[in-house]
Amino acid sequence: MRTALLVIDMLNRYEHEDAGSLAESVAGVVPNIRRLVDAAATQDALVVYVNDNHDDWAAGRDELIRWALDGEQPELVEPIAPASDVPLLLKARHSAFYATQLEYLLRSRAVERIVLTGQVTEQCILYSTLDAHIRHFDVAVPRDAVAHIHPELGDAALTMMERNMAATVRDTDDLIEFLT
């Protein structure tokens, strides 16, 4: 079963209303996201970044990466900025699937299983998991590689993903095997 690792919304300047609590959570998950990206590269798993365009419809890959690195928390971006040979799709709404080419890319690469990581657990990760589930992808979410704004909502979202969307919710160490 071919697997893809999706890295959601990690290009961020952390200059918005909820930036403080989000950045604190992100700091705790960046090392695990890096581990997953590295593991995917060694195990022939497709890595795809999907990021909010932050309402800049003219921004391309390089501009978006530079924009994030020039923000308040470049140390949260630099370790996991996408390499030039990794697909980066832009989205305008919460789900990585909504109005993007993601499903086409995954189907064209015969992907059946996805591992979702990134931010925000109770928003974009939750909605992307739902959209993956209704598209019949096998979904896994590493609970220690997704960042939340509100811990209690993040926990509730993970519970919903597991119970209502048949997602496998485990720690990063347990999900690295999914990338094979």
Side-chain angles (χ1 to χ4, degrees):
M1 185 181 300
R2 181 92 197 270
T3 302
L5 172 67
L6 304 184
V7 182
I8 310 294
D9 287 338
M10 291 306 294
L11 300 177
N12 192 312
R13 291 176 67 92
Y14 302 99
E15 296 174 346
H16 48 82
E17 181 180 336
D18 298 318
S21 57
L22 178 59
E24 183 179 330
S25 181
V26 168
V29 303
V30 163
N32 288 332
I33 295 172
R34 180 77 255 163
R35 288 178 52 226
L36 287 162
V37 169
D38 291 344
T42 65
Q43 298 180 29
D44 194 37
L46 176 66
V47 177
V48 180
Y49 282 69
V50 184
N51 213 88
D52 191 305
N53 71 1
H54 302 283
D55 214 23
D56 184 352
W57 298 96
R61 169 193 209 86
D62 294 338
E63 292 87 2
L64 189 58
I65 294 169
R66 176 59 33 217
W67 173 85
L69 288 170
D70 288 344
E72 294 292 320
Q73 303 274 344
E75 70 278 6
L76 301 178
V77 177
E78 192 279 327
I80 54 171
S84 61
D85 63 341
V86 173
L88 170 64
L89 304 177
L90 297 181
K91 67 182 185 66
R93 300 295 297 180
H94 294 82
S95 172
F97 288 90
Y98 180 75
T100 72
Q101 305 89 356
L102 180 59
E103 183 175 10
Y104 180 83
L105 172 61
L106 297 175
R107 301 277 185 219
S108 72
R109 302 287 176 90
V111 169
E112 297 176 38
R113 179 181 0 188
I114 62 173
V115 176
L116 280 161
T117 187
Q119 62 185 351
V120 169
T121 309
E122 64 268 29
Q123 296 173 17
C124 301
I125 302 300
L126 176 65
Y127 302 136
S128 297
T129 299
L130 175 61
D131 278 356
H133 174 69
I134 64 173
R135 287 169 172 80
H136 302 285
F137 287 101
D138 184 27
V139 181
V141 180
R143 75 176 65 137
D144 58 350
V146 290
H148 57 266
I149 295 171
H150 305 285
E152 69 283 359
L153 295 178
D155 290 343
L158 290 168
T159 298
M160 289 175 60
M161 290 177 223
E162 193 168 38
R163 288 186 187 163
N164 300 346
M165 301 164 207
T168 300
V169 178
R170 304 284 184 273
D171 291 333
T172 295
D173 289 338
D174 298 329
L175 292 180
I176 286 180
E177 70 188 51
F178 267 65
L179 298 174
T180 58

